[in-house]
Amino acid sequence: MSFVRKLEILVEKSVFAPASSVSEAEMSTAALSLTQQARAENLAIAQGLRGGDAELLDRLILQYQHRLLRYLMYLTSNREIAEDLFQETWMRVLTRGSQYNGSARFDTWLFTIARNLVIDFRRRRTMASLEEMSENDEDERPYEVASNEPNPFDHYQSSENAGRMAEALLTLEPLQREVLILRFHEELSLEEIAQVTRAPLSTVKSRLYRGLATLRPRVESRAEAKMETMPVAREVR
């Protein structure tokens, strides 16, 4: 399931079920094996970055380049700025790789670097950080996305539908948009999003809830506008 399908399901239903808690005893052997493999990969990346492994950096750029650029474009709404910050992010990875210890996912650390660069850029240009562009009165109601829900953006697989979703996303408050991108595009957990954004978990949940609630009517209005512009087929006799 893609990003678009997950979000569409949540937007259409407006049902935000709490995630079901799964104990370690209930986890499958396969899931545990994947978790261990991920940890081993994170530690291997940390070791390679500490050693200045150029081939490792090339592989990381190849693996994460599209995700990183997409994230930066959604944060900045400007491709040229996003590309500049993209290059700067990888320079930070190169020069500060020793700071990554492998305890968190590499992409979480990567997005944290990118986000900090966006904040620095905004401070230089407008003296306003990303946080200062956010909602003044964030709703603190509890919110969880069920872990077994399909990915919300998968339904919009055509470029036309994906374009409508992208347009709707760009109308959201920057911090609401960021949380939706990190949760459904990048598939970070709420805890990892809190780590990237340096926000309390309750705030992350609030931004996610408000973003989904705001997105629904905007997606629907764009779909209705599209239907109104479609030519009416004449009856064939």
Side-chain angles (χ1 to χ4, degrees):
M1 288 285 180
S2 71
F3 170 48
V4 175
R5 179 56 183 160
K6 254 188 198 174
L7 189 55
E8 188 205 23
I9 289 173
L10 290 176
V11 167
E12 286 182 349
K13 292 182 178 179
S14 293
V15 175
F16 308 125
S20 57
S21 59
V22 181
S23 67
E24 272 190 30
E26 295 171 315
M27 292 178 65
S28 67
T29 303
L32 286 172
S33 177
L34 287 173
T35 301
Q36 293 168 352
Q37 180 181 350
R39 288 174 180 170
E41 289 174 354
N42 291 337
L43 291 173
I45 291 173
Q47 182 177 1
L49 290 177
R50 284 197 300 270
D53 187 340
E55 290 185 3
L56 170 65
L57 184 62
D58 288 341
R59 290 198 301 272
L60 292 174
I61 293 174
L62 185 63
Q63 181 176 353
Y64 292 101
Q65 59 182 337
H66 298 298
R67 293 174 58 191
L68 177 61
L69 183 59
R70 177 176 58 196
Y71 174 61
L72 286 167
M73 286 183 66
Y74 270 114
L75 284 189
T76 63
S77 302
N78 183 296
R79 186 176 185 88
E80 183 177 354
I81 294 172
E83 289 176 347
D84 289 343
L85 294 174
F86 174 89
Q87 298 292 340
E88 193 170 349
T89 299
W90 287 112
M91 287 300 299
R92 291 286 179 91
V93 172
L94 177 64
T95 58
R96 302 184 184 182
S98 60
Q99 296 178 4
Y100 177 64
N101 59 18
S103 61
R105 284 169 44 175
F106 174 75
D107 53 2
T108 302
W109 185 68
L110 180 68
F111 291 135
T112 302
I113 293 175
R115 187 180 195 273
N116 289 338
L117 288 173
V118 171
I119 292 173
D120 290 344
F121 173 81
R122 291 194 183 280
R123 283 174 176 159
R124 293 196 302 269
R125 291 287 294 269
T126 65
M127 299 304 292
S129 72
L130 189 62
E131 280 77 8
E132 290 168 341
M133 299 170 60
S134 68
E135 313 93 322
N136 293 323
D137 183 23
E138 294 194 312
D139 191 342
E140 295 296 337
R141 77 188 77 183
Y143 171 74
E144 288 284 352
V145 177
S147 58
N148 59 353
E149 284 286 342
N151 189 309
F153 281 11
D154 284 356
H155 179 66
Y156 289 122
Q157 306 231 344
S158 73
S159 58
E160 177 185 345
N161 286 333
R164 271 206 303 273
M165 179 62 78
E167 289 174 3
L169 280 169
L170 290 173
T171 67
L172 298 181
E173 292 285 346
L175 294 183
Q176 294 175 5
R177 180 170 67 239
E178 178 187 29
V179 170
L180 290 176
I181 294 301
L182 290 175
R183 182 69 183 94
F184 299 117
H185 254 322
E186 308 308 336
E187 299 185 346
L188 269 61
S189 69
L190 298 180
E191 291 77 10
E192 288 168 337
I193 295 172
Q195 181 178 342
V196 170
T197 60
R198 296 183 180 176
L201 185 59
S202 61
T203 300
V204 170
K205 294 177 181 179
S206 169
R207 291 172 185 171
L208 190 56
Y209 179 93
R210 290 165 66 92
L212 287 169
T214 304
L215 191 62
R216 180 185 182 185
R218 298 182 185 182
V219 172
E220 289 177 347
S221 65
R222 278 165 171 75
E224 291 170 358
K226 176 64 178 178
M227 291 296 294
E228 290 174 358
T229 59
M230 291 178 63
V232 179
R234 291 183 296 180
E235 182 180 358
V236 178
R237 297 184 182 276

